[in-house]
Amino acid sequence: MEHSYSGSYAAAGVDITAGYRGVQLMKSHVARTVIPGVVSGIGDFGGLFAPDLTSMKEPVLVSGTDGVGTKLRIAQLMDKHDTIGIDCVAMCVNDIICCGARPLFFLDYIAIGKNEPEKVAAIVAGVAEGCVQSGCALIGGETAEHPGVMEAEDYDLAGFSVGIVDKERIIDHSAMAAGDVILALPSTGVHSNGFSLVRKVFHVEHADLRTPLDALEGKGLGETLLTPTRLYVKPVLRLLEEIQPKGISHITGGGFYENIPRAIPDGLCARIERQAVRVLPIFDLIAGAGKIPERDMFNTFNMGVGMTIVVSAADADRALSLLRESGEEAYVLGEIIPGGEDKVVLC
C-alpha cells in the first residue's frame, strides 16, 4: 500500500497514507490480544473468529456496543489517549458478562478530525489493553477521518463486542427471591458515565486538571477522572465456575436507580445499606462542588460500586471468597426484599 496516495483526497483533508501508518503502529498492540479462535489478521475486510463450542449444549451469542462519551474531552484536554480505549472495551464487555457470557472478540470505531497515526495508535493501545484484561481478541476496527465535520484534535470512540454462553447458564434473574444477598464490586472511579455533569461541575475547559489535590489523595483532577473503567470479566467468569448468580448489574449511566432494577424481577426490591457503600473521594468532590443532592448522585454515578451481583444467602460467603481471590474487594451491599414499584431502596 506504500504506492497508494491521492493528492486530491489529501487536499480535501483526508490523508490515506496516515491511515496506513496508523495500522502499522497498532499491529503490535493488536497482537497482544490474539486468543484461540482468531482466524483473520488486522487489515482484512472482516474479522474472523472460530469459537470452540465443544463444551456447550446450546451456545447463545451475546452482543454489546457502547462508546466512551464525553469522558473523551478530558483525554483531549490532558492530551492523554492511551487509557480511554480501556473504557470503551469495559463499557461493552462488562455488559456482556451480566448475562453470564464470555466475551470472544471486540471491534473499535474511531472517528477523528485529523488522522494522527501516533494518537490513533495510542487509542488502540488502550483498546488492546482492555481486551487483554477481559480475555477477548481485538479482531478489527475502523478509523475514519472527518475533516470539516470535526475539529482536527477531536475524535470519538465506540466499540462492539460479541460473547457466548450456554443457554442453560444464562443469568436471567428468574430464580431471584427475597433473602438473596447483593454483593458490591468496587469501581475505580467515575468510570465512563456522567461526564457531562462532571464537566459542568468542574468547568473543565478552564480548570486546573493537573495540580495534585489532597481531597483526591494527592492526584490531580484530570488524572483521577481519566482512571479507566474497571473490567470485571475475569473475576465474574471465575465466580461462574462454581456459583450461578441470580442477577448481575453493571452500574453505568443512571447509577443505582436505573441499573440495579434491570436485574430484578417484578415483586422484588433491592434494599441497599447506604452506610455500606464505599463512596470514593471523587464523588464527594463532585457532590460538594456542584451542590448535587445525594439522590441525584446515586441516580447518575456508580458512587464507588461498578457492579452488583445477587446470590443466594447460602452462596454469599463462597462468592465473596472467590471474588476476593480474583482481586476484587467485594463486600455485602444489601439484600433482596419483597417490593412494589420501587425496585431500589437506600436506607
Side-chain angles (χ1 to χ4, degrees), residues 17-333:
T17 59
Y20 298 152
R21 291 198 302 274
V23 170
Q24 293 302 314
L25 289 172
M26 68 179 69
K27 279 188 174 181
S28 63
H29 302 302
V30 175
R32 297 179 57 221
T33 76
V34 173
I35 61 174
V38 174
V39 176
S40 60
I42 193 75
D44 293 339
F45 284 97
L48 306 181
F49 192 91
D52 180 2
L53 307 179
T54 55
S55 63
M56 294 191 172
K57 296 179 181 178
E58 192 172 355
V60 176
L61 295 179
V62 181
S63 60
T65 185
D66 209 339
V68 181
T70 61
K71 182 174 184 174
L72 288 171
R73 187 58 186 153
I74 310 298
Q76 292 164 357
L77 290 169
M78 294 287 290
D79 193 24
K80 180 174 172 55
H81 311 284
D82 60 347
T83 61
I84 205 75
I86 299 175
D87 294 285
C88 190
V89 175
M91 294 304 293
C92 298
V93 298
N94 282 348
D95 280 356
I96 286 176
I97 197 66
C98 291
C99 300
R102 173 173 56 90
L104 297 174
F105 58 82
F106 186 86
L107 292 90
D108 60 12
Y109 176 81
I110 304 169
I112 193 164
K114 179 177 176 57
N115 192 337
E116 301 176 29
E118 291 75 17
K119 179 188 286 189
V120 171
I123 297 169
V124 174
V127 174
E129 176 60 26
C131 289
V132 169
Q133 289 186 28
S134 54
C136 68
L138 177 57
I139 63 170
E142 175 69 13
T143 301
E145 204 165 5
H146 289 174
V149 176
M150 306 175 75
E151 295 296 326
E153 70 277 7
D154 287 344
Y155 65 90
D156 196 11
L157 174 63
F160 171 83
S161 187
V162 171
I164 195 166
V165 61
D166 208 338
K167 187 174 182 179
E168 65 181 15
R169 297 284 290 171
I170 293 174
I171 300 170
D172 63 2
H173 60 61
S174 60
M176 196 175 296
D180 288 340
V181 177
I182 306 169
L183 307 180
L185 274 61
S187 70
T188 51
V190 184
H191 282 185
S192 302
N193 304 101
F195 272 85
S196 292
L197 180 54
V198 168
R199 290 183 302 111
K200 178 183 178 182
V201 165
F202 293 123
H203 308 284
V204 297
E205 298 295 328
H206 309 288
D208 179 357
L209 299 177
R210 300 181 184 277
T211 299
L213 301 175
D214 290 341
L216 298 178
E217 301 175 344
K219 294 183 178 180
L221 179 60
E223 178 187 0
T224 301
L225 293 175
L226 276 184
T227 302
T229 304
R230 190 166 183 82
L231 284 147
Y232 300 103
V233 173
K234 290 182 179 179
V236 173
L237 287 176
R238 174 67 184 95
L239 177 70
L240 290 171
E241 291 176 4
E242 295 192 29
I243 293 173
Q244 180 72 1
K246 298 187 178 184
I248 303 179
S249 294
H250 182 201
I251 311 303
T252 56
F256 282 41
Y257 289 102
E258 181 175 323
N259 292 287
I260 293 178
R262 295 168 66 177
I264 298 179
D266 292 341
L268 295 176
C269 172
R271 182 182 184 275
I272 305 297
E273 296 290 341
R274 172 62 183 85
Q275 295 304 312
V277 181
R278 299 174 185 175
V279 179
L280 296 172
I282 183 61
F283 297 111
D284 291 330
L285 194 63
I286 293 170
K291 296 181 172 57
I292 302 172
E294 183 175 85
R295 175 63 167 74
D296 288 356
M297 289 294 295
F298 275 90
N299 205 170
T300 306
F301 303 105
N302 67 63
M303 298 302 288
V305 179
M307 183 166 280
T308 58
I309 301 177
V310 178
V311 297
S312 68
D315 286 336
D317 287 344
R318 181 55 181 158
L320 285 170
S321 178
L322 289 168
L323 290 166
R324 289 168 180 167
E325 287 172 8
S326 297
E328 295 296 329
E329 292 299 322
Y331 60 93
V332 174
L333 186 66

